[in-house]
Amino acid sequence: DACRAWGAGYDLAGDLDGDGELTDADIEMLQQYILGDLELTEDQMALMDYDGNGTVDIRDMIQWKKVLLTQA
């Protein structure tokens, strides 16, 4: 499996790539994780668990996409 691991200091919920904002790139990374093509750190998992249920899944991705759309 060609999973890629991402790591760094993250502190903004939804910001997977660490650029300081929620963008399409973060949603793309989340989609890659859900498809099994990307590994996330524990910190990234915590940032993307929108509903706080301990699992990052398609439901979280839908919520983050809604957040992104309301920012536009």
Side-chain angles (χ1 to χ4, degrees), residues 3 6 19-20 35 37 40 45 50 61 65 69-70:
C3 289
W6 295 82
D19 69 354
L35 293 172
D37 295 332
L40 300 179
M45 294 284 288
Y50 187 92
M61 189 174 86
K65 187 67 174 176
L69 291 173
T70 61

Side-chain angles (χ1 to χ4, degrees), residues 34-46:
I34 291 169
L35 293 172
D37 295 332
L38 180 74
E39 286 185 31
L40 300 179
T41 66
E42 285 187 31
D43 289 343
Q44 288 173 310
M45 294 284 288

Side-chain angles (χ1 to χ4, degrees), residues 1 7 11-13 15-18 23 27-28 30-32 34 38 42-43 46-47 52-55 57-58 65 72:
D1 187 311
D11 58 6
L12 177 67
D15 179 23
L16 279 179
D17 61 10
T23 63
I27 303 300
E28 174 66 24
L30 181 55
Q31 181 177 355
Q32 290 174 0
I34 291 169
L38 180 74
E42 285 187 31
D43 289 343
L47 291 173
N53 69 354
T55 303
D57 56 25
I58 189 71
K65 187 67 174 176

